[in-house]
Amino acid sequence: MAVSQTFRHKDYALVCSAEINDSGRFEPALVVSRHAWPSRPRTISVPRGAHPTAEVAIAVAHAQGIEWISNYG
């Protein structure tokens, strides 16, 4: 089961998701794409961790996305 949420920050869309692993914990994932052309979606590395809920994993991915935009966007 995968859960995802899309956020907008400045000129970017952040697709933050969480997928359940074999131990019943959630792993975060992040894809960032720019709203303006070229909008090449980029999969951003998120520190792996077994989070207790999908909401926590999505929050971790969202924070990583904000940091990535601040540094590279």
Side-chain angles (χ1 to χ4, degrees), residues 12-46:
Y12 293 87
L14 303 166
V15 179
C16 304
S17 61
E19 190 167 327
I20 197 162
N21 63 18
D22 293 337
S23 66
R25 308 283 271 178
F26 291 87
E27 298 283 338
L30 172 64
V31 176
V32 176
S33 61
R34 192 175 184 142
H35 286 289
W37 187 86
S39 64
R40 298 182 317 256
R42 297 173 186 234
T43 301
I44 306 301
S45 176
V46 180

Side-chain angles (χ1 to χ4, degrees), residues 8-14 30 32 34 44 61-73:
R8 185 177 182 145
H9 182 73
K10 297 184 180 179
D11 291 335
Y12 293 87
L14 303 166
L30 172 64
V32 176
R34 192 175 184 142
I44 306 301
H62 183 254
Q64 183 68 30
I66 299 295
E67 182 179 337
W68 186 89
I69 291 169
S70 297
N71 292 331
Y72 306 107

